Amino acid sequence: MSTLLFSLSLGQLATGTALMIIGSLAACLLTMSQWFIHRRAIATGFLVSVTILLSFYTWAFAITIIHSQAGIFILNDHHFGWFVLVCLGLGAIGVGRTYRYTLLPLMIALLFLLPPVINLGGVWVVLTAGAFSTSWLCVQVWREWQLLMHDLSPFSVKEALDRLEHGVLFSDSRGHNKLVNLRMERLLSSLNLSPLTRYGTLGKQLRQLATDKIVIGDSYSTPAKSEAEVSENTSFRIDDSQGKTWILRRTQISDKHRYFTQLIALDVTNYMTLSQKLSDEINDLQARQKRLAKETVRLEKALTSNLVLQTRCSIHDVLSQRISFVHRFLEDGVADGERLLQLQRLLANLPTDLTHNRQQIPASVWLNSLQTLASAVKLDLQIEGQLPTDEHKAHLFLRVLREAITNVLIHTTATEMQVKLGQDTQKYCLEISNPGTVSSPVSYGTGLSGLEARLEAAGGCLQVLTIPIFTLKAYLPKPR
């Protein structure tokens, strides 16, 4: 074989050296993939032997190029042939196993690199076998790269974990960190901690930095768990230097007879912000509820007062009217049977009138009823104009008229009343007057006070004049 090497031309030696260098690098990459990714011991041993074999050829070609014989034949042809046979034996053991590459083409190429085959075939056998084995190794490297990019492997798992929004750390039972994703590394870095620290020490450092501790039940429990391990099965809230809030959750997982620690870091900054906003909204809502409760109590009091006022006014209107009619009957001293019958009807209908809802009866009907009652007591009621078309305002004017009739019958000796209803562009007007003499001073009792309050509540007003004659004037605004 030594004679064959020194018989090669400079170009053939350079070609052989380049092929062996490329093949050695490819074999090294495949060796690392089998050991670190696939964890296949036999395939790793076979590829290591291929790497050594190609490295020896590279060394031999390179030394021959510089015309040196030093150290070329530490392994002579006989011993080197046995090494190739051992390499082929390792490959044969792996042929029956399931690998992601084919061993037979490489074994055939290695067979042609045996010293006896090289001596028989010559220089072209060496170059052809070297070119074939190097090409095959490069193709396998390309296939491994494709599998690494598209198939599931520890590297793809690491890449997938690095894409998570949350931090992940796995450590074995001895506390060695086996896997730490990028987000967890950044979190530990912001806390001035190192992911290379054993988990026992790292866990203590994290508990010291915790701002809050939340006890949560274990997802996995070992038969002989110490108190320290039990106390560590909790969730911690930690604030980093960037103002983010994290919840760290430690759990234990089992794989056959081995136990691993899993540490998950969840970024809950947005949730904490929303929780604070929700808490503020709840506090604001509770404050509004308290204010609403106070306003409700105040409104109930106001409604109760208003209801009492309405009841008092209604009772006053009905009773005062009936009393005024009875008073006029008694003053006249009339014993006419028909008028006495009218008086009996007024008194008999008193309970019904007290409970009757006046707003349900049209104002025009009440006006006719007042005219009928006035004629019964010999009161000449002269009405000019029309009531407002708005029923509510018309009923307010009727209350004023009813109160005026009551006052005339009780406090004066008049036998006639003049009622003028009118309106302009802005308001409705009611004017009631009588030429009688007022027998007692005019005072604002329940009747006039209630009327004034009702009119003011509707945006109007009430005026009482005694000179030159007794006159009531009421005004209500028109709707805009």
Side-chain angles (χ1 to χ4, degrees), residues 360-427:
Q360 295 180 355
I361 300 177
S364 58
V365 175
W366 281 112
L367 183 60
N368 294 332
S369 176
L370 287 176
Q371 288 178 318
T372 302
L373 291 174
S375 63
V377 294
K378 303 302 181 179
L379 177 64
D380 185 12
L381 185 61
Q382 302 174 8
I383 301 176
E384 298 179 8
Q386 300 292 328
L387 287 170
T389 56
D390 188 334
E391 283 291 318
H392 177 67
K393 290 180 171 59
H395 277 283
L396 286 177
F397 276 173
L398 284 176
R399 286 181 178 274
V400 177
L401 179 58
R402 190 180 298 110
E403 180 67 19
I405 293 175
T406 301
N407 290 333
V408 166
L409 294 178
I410 293 177
H411 300 290
T412 70
T413 59
T415 58
E416 64 179 61
M417 285 184 64
Q418 294 181 353
V419 179
K420 296 181 180 180
L421 293 166
Q423 58 179 315
D424 55 23
T425 57
Q426 296 182 348
K427 62 183 180 297

Side-chain angles (χ1 to χ4, degrees), residues 110-311:
L110 294 178
L111 187 63
F112 282 98
L113 291 178
L114 287 170
V117 179
I118 292 176
N119 292 331
L120 291 176
V123 62
W124 294 110
V125 173
V126 177
L127 295 177
T128 302
F132 184 83
S133 60
T134 300
S135 300
W136 182 90
L137 289 170
C138 291
V139 170
Q140 297 308 312
V141 170
W142 178 81
R143 290 187 61 189
E144 284 293 321
W145 175 255
Q146 293 297 316
L147 292 174
L148 185 63
M149 296 300 295
H150 300 95
D151 203 358
L152 186 64
S153 67
F155 290 98
S156 61
V157 173
K158 177 64 166 61
E159 183 180 1
L161 291 177
D162 285 340
R163 295 177 180 270
L164 290 177
E165 296 181 356
H166 310 301
V168 180
L169 181 146
F170 291 95
S171 64
D172 58 17
S173 57
R174 294 179 296 177
H176 297 295
N177 296 332
K178 294 297 183 180
L179 180 61
V180 182
N181 72 340
L182 185 61
R183 186 56 62 92
M184 180 64 79
E185 290 179 357
R186 292 177 179 175
L187 173 60
L188 295 177
S189 177
S190 66
L191 298 174
N192 295 323
L193 301 178
S194 173
L196 300 179
T197 307
R198 293 180 62 130
Y199 181 76
T201 304
L202 184 62
K204 294 179 181 179
Q205 293 173 342
L206 290 174
R207 288 196 299 274
Q208 292 176 354
L209 296 174
T211 58
D212 192 12
K213 182 172 71 174
I214 308 168
V215 179
I216 299 178
D218 298 342
S219 60
Y220 179 80
S221 178
T222 58
K225 183 179 291 187
S226 64
E227 294 182 0
E229 290 175 328
V230 172
S231 63
E232 199 172 335
N233 284 327
T234 55
S235 291
F236 300 96
R237 190 177 71 184
I238 291 180
D239 298 327
D240 62 12
S241 59
Q242 299 177 354
K244 293 185 177 181
T245 303
W246 300 81
I247 295 295
L248 272 67
R249 169 64 176 152
R250 174 195 178 274
T251 55
Q252 283 188 324
I253 56 178
S254 64
D255 179 17
K256 296 181 180 179
H257 300 291
R258 297 180 298 174
Y259 301 103
F260 296 90
T261 299
Q262 174 185 268
L263 183 66
I264 304 295
L266 305 177
D267 185 0
V268 295
T269 305
N270 294 334
Y271 298 103
M272 295 298 293
T273 303
L274 292 176
S275 177
Q276 184 62 40
K277 290 183 179 179
L278 181 60
S279 178
D280 294 340
E281 290 290 337
I282 291 175
N283 293 334
D284 184 61
L285 181 60
Q286 290 176 347
R288 291 184 179 183
Q289 287 177 339
K290 292 180 180 179
R291 291 197 299 269
L292 181 61
K294 293 181 179 179
E295 291 295 326
T296 302
V297 173
R298 188 185 64 80
L299 181 60
E300 287 180 353
K301 291 181 179 179
L303 291 176
T304 303
S305 302
N306 188 29
L307 180 61
V308 171
L309 179 61
Q310 289 181 358
T311 304

Side-chain angles (χ1 to χ4, degrees), residues 16-26 54 58 134:
T17 304
L19 289 173
M20 294 302 105
I21 291 174
I22 297 173
S24 299
L25 294 176
L54 296 180
T58 303
T134 300

